[in-house]
Amino acid sequence: MDYDVVIIGSGPGGYIAAVRCGQLGLKTAIIEKYETLGGTCLNVGCIPSKALLDSSEHYFNATHTFAAHGIELKDLQVNLPQMINRKGEVVKQTTDGIKFLMKKNKVTTYQGMGSFVNKNTILITDKNGGTQQITSKNIVIATGSKPASIPSIPLDKKRIITSTEALNLKEVPKHLIVIGAGVIGAELGSVYGRLGAKVSFVEFAGSMIPTMDGTMGKELQRAMKKLDTDFYFNHKVTSVENKGDEVVVIADNNKGGTLTLSGDYCLVAIGRKPYTEGLNLEKAGVQKDERGRIVVDEHLQTNVPGIYAIGDVIRGAMLAHKAEEEGVFVAETIVGQKPHINYLLIPNVVYTWPEVAGVGYTEEELKAKGIAYKTGAFPFKASGRARASMDTDGTVKVLADKQTDEILGVHMIGPRTADMIAEAVVAMEFRASAEDIGRMSHAHPTYTEALKEACLAATDNRALNI
Ligand code: FAD
Ligand code: NAI
């Protein structure tokens, strides 16, 4: 065999698996069909979206909050091409970093489309049609996902767009219609809303970010009212049409009525689907489920021994850090170690402002499971740090076991909660009680005090600053 491990796909699942395989002394290769490494996350996902979220937030603050801070600016303008260029530079630095990591860990990189010839042989076809075959004892499928679409919403990628095009627009939309008020809708809707677009959300469910704790969606919607936003919940889109410079969206309102919206761009953000096209899985006998996901067991091994799958292409949350944990898990499994992933404690973050973050069970899940719980909450308006920075929107909510006080879930919306959620993950990994966190010193003034206070409130209704 040419290699111990060959990884197909270089997103956060694949490249982290490669790094860990390299660290463990395995002869490793990675195959990526695009010219740059890093997959969806680094090229058209996590990193570019955060770059635009940061730029647009600076603009929003400059136009909306600087004056209150005593900073007066005149004639502010958005230079969208420059904003997009800066995003491109951030992406380039990050993807170049992956090239360096592959070299450092002695991972051989192949550029081209990988497909199975049999369970140990992969054919690599480059963009000019050139081919070569490599063999490996183990193969890791890390081919990720693509935006989902439905026949009634034809994507033309010009006016009716996915997140990929939304990260490269040449103008700020006047009226952006967003189908799906989930994570991508909330984040990219925020980007263009802050830059001055009117943003209308048409959502199937009854709230924003409906899979997160219910309080979060309500609070996020309230905060997003500061932008020029409209929300149409419980609406099912029946048609989207590009009429030149105008996009018309029609939806059923579930009450027998019809909603018609006209905008200049329509962002379709209705979820993502696993990507296995061109892999020729059948040549190796690898099975998929009814949703197109590669089926894996508790060791992330497919039905074919020696072939593993990780990240967006298998079951579970479609998140970069979940894919990364699985990359490490597979590498360690291959060398005979016994790694472990606690899927309940993979945090979820939405990078709007205020940021939303959650880990563990939601209140809705605890109710459905019939687990007796108590709640403690602390609003950021009671935080001195939040008042100092004028970031008083949001709250921290802690759910703890009614009898034992063990923390079962933490859900926060507010300033820097994307970073703050790490404390909750650590606490829950060590099975802390709410009182444990309530009795630990948190630097003052920091946003993190809100978690301590919410824990005190959950323990015994004894928050100190409210
Ligand atoms: P991917 O990153 O999709 O990588 C798969 C790679 O495999 C791709 O490079 C693809 O070209 C390659 N490939 C596919 N088939 C083949 C083949 N046959 N041969 C060779 N190469 C192949 N997640 C977060 O946790 N935080 C965020 O902030 C976040 N923001 C996001 C923002 C947006 C706009 C989007 C779209 C997604 C975001 N995500 C975020 C989700 C995150 O990007 C994915 O969960 C993550 O990239 C999945 O990693 P992966 O390794 O499974 O697959
Ligand atoms: P999503 O699952 O978060 O949201 C999709 C939304 O579209 C849901 O609220 C759903 O109810 C709605 N929807 C589905 N079909 C619809 C229809 N026909 N009409 C109206 N609404 C409809 O998916 P999204 O936002 O596309 O993101 C895809 C994935 O990318 C997410 O699952 C997430 O894991 C990942 N991601 C993560 C980010 C992060 O971690 N910050 C940021 C962006 C994406």
Side-chain angles (χ1 to χ4, degrees), residues 164-181:
T164 303
E165 295 74 51
L167 293 166
N168 274 312
L169 288 186
K170 303 237 174 334
E171 58 181 349
V172 175
K174 291 178 195 66
H175 182 191
L176 176 65
I177 302 168
V178 180
I179 306 182

Side-chain angles (χ1 to χ4, degrees), residues 325 329 332 338-343 429:
E325 293 307 325
F329 182 102
E332 294 180 351
K338 303 266 179 291
H340 174 72
I341 298 173
N342 184 350
Y343 283 98
E429 281 285 5

Side-chain angles (χ1 to χ4, degrees), residues 3 5-23 26-32 35-39 42 94-111:
Y3 293 98
V5 186
V6 165
I7 298 155
I8 310 175
S10 71
Y15 92 76
I16 287 290
V19 168
R20 190 71 186 117
C21 286
Q23 287 175 346
L26 296 166
K27 193 174 176 208
T28 308
I30 192 163
I31 307 169
E32 171 54 55
E35 280 177 25
T36 53
L37 302 177
L42 275 63
T94 316
T95 56
D96 283 353
I98 309 301
K99 246 196 254 171
F100 162 80
L101 287 177
M102 293 305 103
K103 227 171 152 183
K104 181 182 167 204
N105 291 286
K106 302 189 175 50
V107 174
T108 308
T109 307
Y110 292 93
Q111 198 200 319

Side-chain angles (χ1 to χ4, degrees), residues 73-210:
L73 289 170
K74 284 203 179 78
D75 302 329
L76 263 177
Q77 277 178 28
V78 175
N79 179 344
L80 190 63
Q82 167 57 18
M83 213 175 264
I84 300 278
N85 279 345
R86 189 195 77 91
K87 176 222 61 171
E89 282 161 23
V90 174
V91 168
K92 182 165 176 2
Q93 284 162 9
T94 316
T95 56
D96 283 353
I98 309 301
K99 246 196 254 171
F100 162 80
L101 287 177
M102 293 305 103
K103 227 171 152 183
K104 181 182 167 204
N105 291 286
K106 302 189 175 50
V107 174
T108 308
T109 307
Y110 292 93
Q111 198 200 319
M113 186 77 183
S115 60
F116 282 93
V117 175
N118 59 44
K119 78 184 224 1
N120 294 104
T121 311
I122 299 290
L123 174 75
I124 305 164
T125 309
D126 69 26
K127 61 174 189 283
N128 303 317
T131 58
Q132 61 181 311
Q133 289 192 9
I134 54 174
T135 55
S136 180
K137 287 183 207 152
N138 300 283
I139 292 167
V140 180
I141 304 168
T143 50
S145 63
K146 285 273 176 236
S149 57
I150 48 175
S152 54
I153 312 179
L155 297 167
D156 64 22
K157 302 198 175 180
K158 290 186 177 68
R159 294 280 166 177
I160 307 171
I161 59 177
T162 69
S163 54
T164 303
E165 295 74 51
L167 293 166
N168 274 312
L169 288 186
K170 303 237 174 334
E171 58 181 349
V172 175
K174 291 178 195 66
H175 182 191
L176 176 65
I177 302 168
V178 180
I179 306 182
V183 196
I184 291 181
E187 290 188 357
L188 293 179
S190 292
V191 166
Y192 290 106
R194 291 164 186 171
L195 298 181
K198 174 181 174 61
V199 184
S200 300
F201 292 93
V202 187
E203 164 61 55
F204 202 61
S207 72
M208 293 193 82
I209 48 170

Side-chain angles (χ1 to χ4, degrees), residues 10 32 85 103 126 167 228 275 296 313 326 339 354 389 422 430:
S10 71
E32 171 54 55
N85 279 345
K103 227 171 152 183
D126 69 26
L167 293 166
D228 186 1
Y275 183 73
V296 290
V313 80
E326 291 178 339
S389 66
F430 286 91

Side-chain angles (χ1 to χ4, degrees), residues 207-220 348 356-367 373 375 395 397-399 409-413:
S207 72
M208 293 193 82
I209 48 170
T211 53
M212 293 185 80
D213 186 276
T215 307
M216 301 297 113
K218 281 188 209 110
E219 291 277 334
L220 180 60
N348 258 308
V356 188
V359 66
Y361 293 112
T362 63
E363 194 162 355
E364 293 75 16
E365 285 168 342
L366 290 177
K367 277 187 186 143
Y373 66 93
T375 59
T395 186
K397 171 167 149 182
V398 172
L399 306 167
V410 176
H411 306 280
M412 355 169 129
I413 173 166

Side-chain angles (χ1 to χ4, degrees), residues 155-451:
L155 297 167
D156 64 22
K157 302 198 175 180
K158 290 186 177 68
R159 294 280 166 177
I160 307 171
I161 59 177
T162 69
S163 54
T164 303
E165 295 74 51
L167 293 166
N168 274 312
L169 288 186
K170 303 237 174 334
E171 58 181 349
V172 175
K174 291 178 195 66
H175 182 191
L176 176 65
I177 302 168
V178 180
I179 306 182
V183 196
I184 291 181
E187 290 188 357
L188 293 179
S190 292
V191 166
Y192 290 106
R194 291 164 186 171
L195 298 181
K198 174 181 174 61
V199 184
S200 300
F201 292 93
V202 187
E203 164 61 55
F204 202 61
S207 72
M208 293 193 82
I209 48 170
T211 53
M212 293 185 80
D213 186 276
T215 307
M216 301 297 113
K218 281 188 209 110
E219 291 277 334
L220 180 60
Q221 187 192 350
R222 190 178 314 165
M224 286 194 64
K225 284 275 179 203
K226 286 188 182 157
L227 306 176
D228 186 1
T229 48
D230 279 336
F231 297 88
Y232 302 95
F233 296 123
N234 303 308
H235 276 71
K236 186 175 166 208
V237 173
T238 51
S239 92
V240 181
E241 202 183 339
N242 176 353
K243 298 190 165 179
D245 291 346
E246 187 195 13
V247 183
V248 177
V249 173
I250 300 178
D252 275 352
N253 70 0
N254 267 354
K255 292 177 192 151
T258 299
L259 168 77
T260 304
L261 291 173
S262 161
D264 49 349
Y265 288 88
C266 172
L267 168 63
V268 182
I270 57 171
R272 294 178 62 86
K273 58 175 185 214
Y275 183 73
T276 54
E277 274 161 48
L279 269 179
N280 283 343
L281 288 176
E282 62 291 346
K283 297 228 169 129
V286 173
Q287 280 170 3
K288 294 193 283 184
D289 68 13
E290 69 294 344
R291 289 165 64 183
R293 303 175 298 191
I294 293 178
V295 179
V296 290
D297 64 14
E298 68 275 24
H299 303 295
L300 302 181
Q301 189 163 238
T302 66
N303 61 307
V304 181
I307 302 183
Y308 298 83
I310 58 175
D312 282 10
V313 80
I314 64 167
R315 84 283 183 271
M318 287 185 165
L319 295 173
H321 42 286
K322 178 259 193 187
E324 290 181 4
E325 293 307 325
E326 291 178 339
V328 170
F329 182 102
V330 152
E332 294 180 351
T333 300
I334 288 171
V335 295
Q337 296 182 4
K338 303 266 179 291
H340 174 72
I341 298 173
N342 184 350
Y343 283 98
L344 178 66
L345 298 190
I346 303 275
N348 258 308
V349 173
V350 189
Y351 295 81
T352 44
W353 196 265
E355 293 174 332
V356 188
V359 66
Y361 293 112
T362 63
E363 194 162 355
E364 293 75 16
E365 285 168 342
L366 290 177
K367 277 187 186 143
K369 284 177 181 296
I371 298 173
Y373 66 93
K374 48 195 182 149
T375 59
F378 189 81
F380 278 100
K381 63 178 183 295
S383 149
R385 183 72 193 87
R387 275 197 301 273
S389 66
M390 277 180 70
D391 290 305
T392 50
D393 284 342
T395 186
V396 175
K397 171 167 149 182
V398 172
L399 306 167
D401 186 281
K402 193 155 191 170
Q403 269 79 47
T404 65
D405 197 38
E406 179 175 352
I407 302 173
L408 301 174
V410 176
H411 306 280
M412 355 169 129
I413 173 166
R416 298 280 164 237
T417 58
D419 297 293
M420 278 170 61
I421 199 68
E423 183 183 357
V425 176
V426 173
M428 291 178 71
E429 281 285 5
F430 286 91
R431 302 198 60 178
S433 66
E435 188 171 13
D436 287 333
I437 301 299
R439 285 191 178 276
M440 286 176 196
S441 174
H442 287 64
H444 175 76
T446 59
Y447 302 122
T448 67
E449 290 169 293
L451 176 60

